[in-house]
Amino acid sequence: YFQDFVWALSQSNTTSLILVVPFLIVYLVYRKRKMLRAIIPFERSAPQTKIVKINEIVGAMLSLLAFLLYWQGSFTPYSLQYHIATLPLFVAGLILIIFNAQTLKTLALPITFLLFLIPPPLEIVNATGTILATYTLTAVYTILKALGLQLGITTQYGLPAIVLEKPAALLQTLVMDVAFVGTYTLIVFTAIWAFVAFTVRGAAWKRAIMFLAWFPSILVLNTMRITIMTLMA
């Protein structure tokens, strides 16, 4: 996977912020250190049994499946995404082969977080950015109009924009492009929000609601940020 991550990090606009994800994974594993010390030697110290052999067989099958999906993905336009998507499957297989099923169960959350390392295709990034820009512009325009500012809505290069009308001055245009509305940070914000939601103490339904609240919160924060910047302009 080394070349895949080198390739992913070379796409600085969409993947540079995922460097925070490995640190989140390390911390999640660190939180489970006492449980891991208790369960890792549990089956290894015992005589070979059918359960241990089943774990090794299932682990080998998972690793082989990851390899086959990795190989198949190399012949698709989204080879990078296919390759990194097989990483959790491959890691799960290795854990079953080397350790046991209880270890895999304990590390299920850190392994799941490996999915946040998958860089989204540029088509999805641009489509998401356009939708996010449209909703953000509408919210900002409504707020600024209510504050009495003279402005209008237009498009530049296919992107929504706000035109600021200032007395005795040239018009100023604020273009809502993909980067400006925070599209590139969506992945890392999702990872951090999921990290917080799954590490805080509390009932499962409260943590689920907390996780689902991430997208509205990003919309609100983006709207506040762009509104303040427009007022400063």
Side-chain angles (χ1 to χ4, degrees), residues 44-67:
R44 297 179 62 188
S45 60
Q48 288 291 326
T49 63
K50 290 183 179 180
I51 297 179
V52 177
K53 292 180 180 179
I54 290 176
N55 288 339
E56 294 175 349
I57 293 172
V58 173
M61 292 177 64
L62 289 177
S63 300
L64 178 60
L65 178 60
F67 171 77

Side-chain angles (χ1 to χ4, degrees), residues 81-137:
Q81 287 76 18
Y82 264 97
H83 290 176
I84 299 181
T86 64
L87 181 59
L89 197 62
F90 184 70
V91 171
L94 290 182
I95 290 176
L96 280 177
I97 294 173
I98 301 173
F99 303 109
N100 50 60
Q102 290 298 321
T103 304
L104 177 60
K105 183 179 179 180
T106 303
L107 295 177
L109 183 60
I111 293 174
T112 304
F113 263 70
L114 291 172
L115 294 174
F116 287 114
L117 296 174
I118 303 175
L122 292 178
E123 295 87 348
I124 295 178
V125 172
N126 292 330
T128 304
T130 301
I131 296 173
L132 187 60
T134 302
Y135 281 106
T136 303
L137 180 137

Side-chain angles (χ1 to χ4, degrees), residues 115-185:
L115 294 174
F116 287 114
L117 296 174
I118 303 175
L122 292 178
E123 295 87 348
I124 295 178
V125 172
N126 292 330
T128 304
T130 301
I131 296 173
L132 187 60
T134 302
Y135 281 106
T136 303
L137 180 137
T138 303
V140 172
Y141 175 81
T142 303
I143 294 173
L144 295 179
K145 201 71 175 176
L147 294 176
L149 271 70
Q150 297 297 319
L151 44 82
I153 296 179
T154 185
T155 58
Q156 285 194 3
Y157 308 106
L159 296 170
I162 289 179
V163 179
L164 305 176
E165 302 175 4
K166 301 173 65 177
L170 296 175
L171 297 178
Q172 288 187 332
T173 305
L174 188 67
V175 180
M176 302 286 181
D177 64 359
V178 173
F180 185 62
V181 295
T183 307
Y184 296 146
T185 60

Side-chain angles (χ1 to χ4, degrees), residues 24 27-28 31 109 113 116 188-203 206-212 214:
L24 300 181
Y27 179 76
L28 290 174
R31 281 171 55 96
L109 183 60
F113 263 70
F116 287 114
V188 69
F189 274 133
T190 305
I192 293 175
W193 203 275
F195 173 80
V196 173
F198 285 106
T199 53
V200 296
R201 299 183 182 277
K206 292 182 179 179
R207 291 185 291 174
I209 293 177
M210 183 178 179
F211 175 70
L212 294 176
W214 73 272

